[in-house]
């Protein structure tokens, strides 16, 4: 995802899972060894979250040690306990006793998607899921129908987890990396019913993703799928950068990143979604000095470039999620309907 951050999954999938039976859920953990500056922006009308008040820039704690993205609706927040346990065992957290390095308090904000109807209602991520996801975190990770994306549905088709990153090539933020990791589980549509192409190809064009318009027969079949019938849904994720930002800058990055959701999902931020994006800054890159009027923050132009890139990464990550997803519980994947 980004140098300095690690991603891990844990999930359960039964090959014969259906809507209502079997196992099909999981969680994903983004670990920030040593801590990362963080913020959050919640836009959906039905969020399920943990520790989001702590991330208000006016509050005291300024760093997190992991972010949990999980299935299981509010039940899935239990997975954060397992993440905390793994972090405590490895000395990761806020040190609270100068005489005893083992006394730490890990900070693990999290957000959930509503995937309970996929598989059995009572199969949900537990603390053990979170522990295993944290333990498995690495620089290499799978995308698609894995982790928190196992039970995800994106409108009428299979959702999943996707990622995208880019390095800014010029301007005041040249050399800065921005990345996104998104669990796509919206009530809204992720593809244009007129063309069959994902809404999220609008900025880059279908060729960027190796896509071409489907046949009329393929399009008719996709448009005939029943709409998603659940009352609760939600798209959640993490946007991150290696440039040093303070909590206010991270909050602005999280806010702007939601533009990527609005480009790739229609509608986004509905009363039936709990759309939540966390923002992280590892601080590995110290921003250069760029002259700005004294009334403005010194990193204003860098932050503007990072925010613009964050929205693009989120848009691309939603497309990545649905292109990499495979069918689970007989929910058709985009590539089943529109073979590449």
């Amino acid at each position: 995802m980004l140098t300095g951050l690690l991603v891990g999954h844990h999930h359960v999938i039964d090959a014969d899972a259906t809507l209502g039976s079997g196992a099909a859920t999981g969680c994903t953990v983004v670990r920030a060894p040593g801590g990362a500056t963080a913020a959050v922006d919640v836009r959906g009308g039905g969020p399920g979250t943990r520790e989001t008040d702590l991330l208000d820039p006016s509050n005291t704690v300024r760093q997190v040690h992991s972010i949990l993205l999980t299935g299981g609706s509010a039940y899935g927040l239990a997975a954060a306990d397992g993440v905390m346990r793994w972090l405590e065992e490895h000395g990761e957290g806020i040190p609270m006793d100068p005489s005893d390095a083992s006394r730490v308090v890990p900070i693990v904000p999290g957000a959930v998607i509503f995937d309970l109807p996929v598989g059995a209602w009572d199969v949900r991520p537990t603390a053990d899921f979170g522990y295993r996801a944290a333990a498995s975190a690495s620089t290499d990770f799978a995308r698609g129908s894995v982790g928190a994306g196992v039970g995800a549905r994106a409108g009428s088709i299979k959702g999943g987890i996707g990622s995208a990153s880019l390095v800014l090539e010029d301007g005041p933020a040249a050399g800065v990396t921005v990345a996104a990791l998104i669990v796509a589980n919206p009530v809204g549509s992720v593809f244009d019913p007129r063309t069959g192409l994902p809404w999220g190809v609008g900025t880059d064009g279908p060729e960027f993703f190796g896509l071409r318009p489907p046949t009329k027969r393929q399009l008719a079949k996709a448009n005939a799928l029943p709409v998603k019938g659940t009352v609760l849904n939600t798209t959640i994720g993490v946007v991150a950068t290696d440039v040093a930002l303070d909590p206010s800058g991270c909050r602005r990055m999280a806010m702007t990143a939601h533009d990527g959701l609005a480009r790739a999902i229609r509608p986004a931020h509905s009363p039936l979604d709990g759309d939540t994006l966390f923002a992280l800054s590892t601080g590995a890159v110290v921003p250069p000095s760029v002259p700005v009027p004294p009334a403005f923050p010194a990193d204003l132009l860098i932050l503007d470039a990072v925010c613009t890139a964050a929205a693009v990464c989120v848009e691309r990550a939603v497309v990545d999620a649905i292109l990499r997803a495979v069918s689970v519980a007989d929910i058709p994947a985009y590539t089943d309907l529109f073979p590449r």
Side-chain angles (χ1 to χ4, degrees):
M1 180 183 180
L2 182 83
T3 300
L5 297 178
L6 308 172
V7 177
H9 306 298
H10 184 69
H11 56 254
V12 289
I13 309 178
D14 288 340
D16 58 352
T18 67
L19 298 181
S21 69
T25 192
C27 70
T28 297
V29 172
V30 178
R31 269 181 42 212
T37 305
V40 67
D41 190 44
V42 182
R43 294 288 177 93
T49 58
R50 168 191 168 115
E51 296 273 41
T52 50
D53 283 352
L54 175 144
L55 296 181
D56 187 309
S58 66
N59 288 336
T60 303
V61 175
R62 303 174 69 85
Q63 287 197 328
V64 303
H65 303 95
S66 288
I67 299 291
L68 170 71
L69 307 174
T70 183
S73 190
Y75 296 105
L77 289 172
D81 294 339
V83 182
M84 288 190 69
R85 178 161 57 90
W86 189 94
L87 291 169
E88 182 184 24
E89 289 176 1
H90 292 80
E92 286 281 339
I94 301 173
M96 303 304 292
D97 186 344
S99 65
D100 187 347
S102 68
R103 294 186 175 182
V104 296
V105 178
I107 303 301
V108 185
V112 306
I113 66 167
F114 183 79
D115 64 351
L116 294 175
V118 182
W121 183 271
D122 59 353
V123 179
R124 310 148 184 159
T126 63
D128 186 57
F129 277 60
Y131 186 93
R132 294 187 180 196
S136 71
S138 81
T139 55
D140 296 319
F141 57 94
R143 290 118 75 193
S145 300
V146 296
V150 163
R153 287 186 288 175
S156 60
I157 65 173
K158 186 69 183 72
I161 190 164
S163 181
S165 65
L166 61 84
V167 178
L168 298 171
E169 296 181 353
D170 50 31
V176 168
T177 302
V178 180
L181 183 75
I182 300 295
V183 184
N185 183 60
V187 68
S189 169
V190 290
F191 67 87
D192 186 339
R194 300 165 299 181
T195 67
L197 294 170
W199 293 113
V201 305
T203 297
D204 297 304
E207 298 82 7
F208 180 88
F209 300 93
L211 297 174
R212 61 188 181 201
T215 66
K216 291 183 179 180
R217 184 175 181 179
Q218 291 170 334
L219 186 58
K221 181 179 179 181
N223 286 333
L225 292 172
V227 297
K228 191 175 180 183
T230 58
V231 175
L232 298 176
N233 306 274
T234 297
T235 295
I236 56 178
V238 176
V239 290
T241 183
D242 55 3
V243 73
L245 297 178
D246 63 15
S248 294
C250 285
R251 175 69 185 278
R252 182 57 59 182
M253 179 169 64
M255 294 169 65
T256 311
H258 274 280
D259 290 353
L261 291 188
R263 296 172 194 163
I265 299 166
R266 303 189 185 184
H269 312 132
S270 80
L272 307 181
D273 292 290
D275 298 339
T276 299
L277 293 181
F278 297 94
L280 301 179
S281 164
T282 66
V285 176
V286 178
S289 177
V290 181
V292 294
F296 298 146
D299 64 351
L300 177 63
L301 298 181
I302 294 163
L303 178 60
D304 177 63
V306 167
C307 288
T308 300
V312 172
C313 285
V314 168
E315 185 180 15
R316 291 177 180 176
V318 172
V319 177
D320 185 56
I322 64 170
L323 294 184
R324 291 182 179 272
V326 297
S327 177
V328 173
D330 297 323
I331 305 165
Y334 182 88
T335 52
D336 296 331
L337 300 167
F338 308 118
R340 298 173 73 178

